[in-house]
Amino acid sequence: MSTDEAEREFVEFVQRNLTSLYAAAFRVCGNRHLAEDLLQESLAKMWKGWLNKRNQEGAPLKGWAYRIIGNAAIDSHRKNKSRLTGKNQNPVSEVPWDDEKGGQIPGSSETSEEAIFRDTARELWAAVATLDQVQQTLIHLLYVEQLSLNAACRVAGLKWTTANRYHVDALARLREIIGDEE
């Protein structure tokens, strides 16, 4: 495969999956500016390994991309954590970008239903962040991208039984954290 052909395929992959990759980056860091930086760093890492990954038959590229985003988020968190000088200081990445305006984006007007939805979504994604990386990826694929379990298995590179076990365990853990209101 030539470099030009690989570059074209990489650009097509990124264009086709940019929204879901950004959503995954936002999900792991909870901040739009940090998500953009994280995605940019992850795309650079993906490009470095693109030729090797593309040459592997049946390689689940989207699952590989999610794994790179998750690993980059962990690296970024470790880097920020090591910069702390005192016990009670928080890195900038842990301060939500919109909390200065009481959880509301500046310049927007929010109804009470939107505020409830926003708070519920924040609580839900905070709970999802406590899951392990595979469970987080499956939750994202199944509920954000609305893939079937079979399709999510292919993307994540898992067998159906393994993915189903992770999914069931993730839902049970989320019910413990958030509470089951059924």
Side-chain angles (χ1 to χ4, degrees):
M1 173 185 300
S2 73
T3 305
D4 291 338
E5 188 177 325
E7 184 176 349
R8 183 185 48 78
E9 284 185 6
F10 180 75
V11 169
E12 287 174 4
F13 172 80
V14 171
Q15 288 174 339
R16 193 173 50 250
N17 297 293
L18 187 60
T19 302
S20 62
L21 295 175
Y22 175 77
F26 184 83
R27 177 175 45 89
V28 296
C29 66
N31 178 309
R32 67 181 176 156
H33 302 294
L34 292 175
E36 290 168 359
D37 292 343
L38 181 64
L39 182 59
Q40 184 176 5
E41 180 183 329
S42 298
L43 290 174
K45 289 178 180 180
M46 281 181 233
W47 171 244
K48 286 181 183 177
W50 185 256
L51 284 175
N52 291 336
K53 194 65 173 177
R54 284 301 294 157
N55 290 334
Q56 295 175 7
E57 279 299 313
L61 295 175
K62 208 167 185 184
W64 175 65
Y66 289 140
R67 192 167 297 119
I68 289 175
I69 290 169
N71 291 343
I74 291 168
D75 292 346
S76 176
H77 178 72
R78 286 179 182 154
K79 193 183 318 178
N80 286 337
K81 193 174 180 181
S82 69
R83 289 182 184 159
L84 296 178
T85 56
K87 278 186 175 179
N88 296 324
Q89 287 183 316
N90 290 327
V92 175
S93 65
E94 292 180 6
V95 180
W97 68 273
D98 57 348
D99 271 358
E100 293 176 13
K101 301 291 183 187
Q104 185 172 343
I105 299 171
S108 70
S109 60
E110 191 169 50
T111 65
S112 61
E113 291 85 14
E114 290 170 332
I116 291 169
F117 176 79
R118 187 182 182 100
D119 289 342
T120 304
R122 191 175 283 143
E123 181 183 346
L124 173 63
W125 287 114
V128 169
T130 66
L131 301 174
D132 70 40
Q133 187 64 40
V134 174
Q135 290 174 328
Q136 288 182 31
T137 299
L138 281 172
I139 294 295
H140 179 82
L141 292 171
L142 293 169
Y143 297 102
V144 175
E145 294 194 26
Q146 298 182 345
L147 296 178
S148 68
L149 187 57
N150 286 335
C153 291
R154 285 191 302 275
V155 170
L158 299 171
K159 293 182 179 179
W160 188 90
T161 53
T162 304
N164 188 50
R165 181 176 41 86
Y166 275 116
H167 178 229
V168 168
D169 290 349
L171 291 180
R173 179 73 181 123
L174 291 174
R175 285 186 185 108
E176 285 176 15
I177 294 169
I178 296 174
D180 190 5
E181 298 182 15
E182 289 181 21

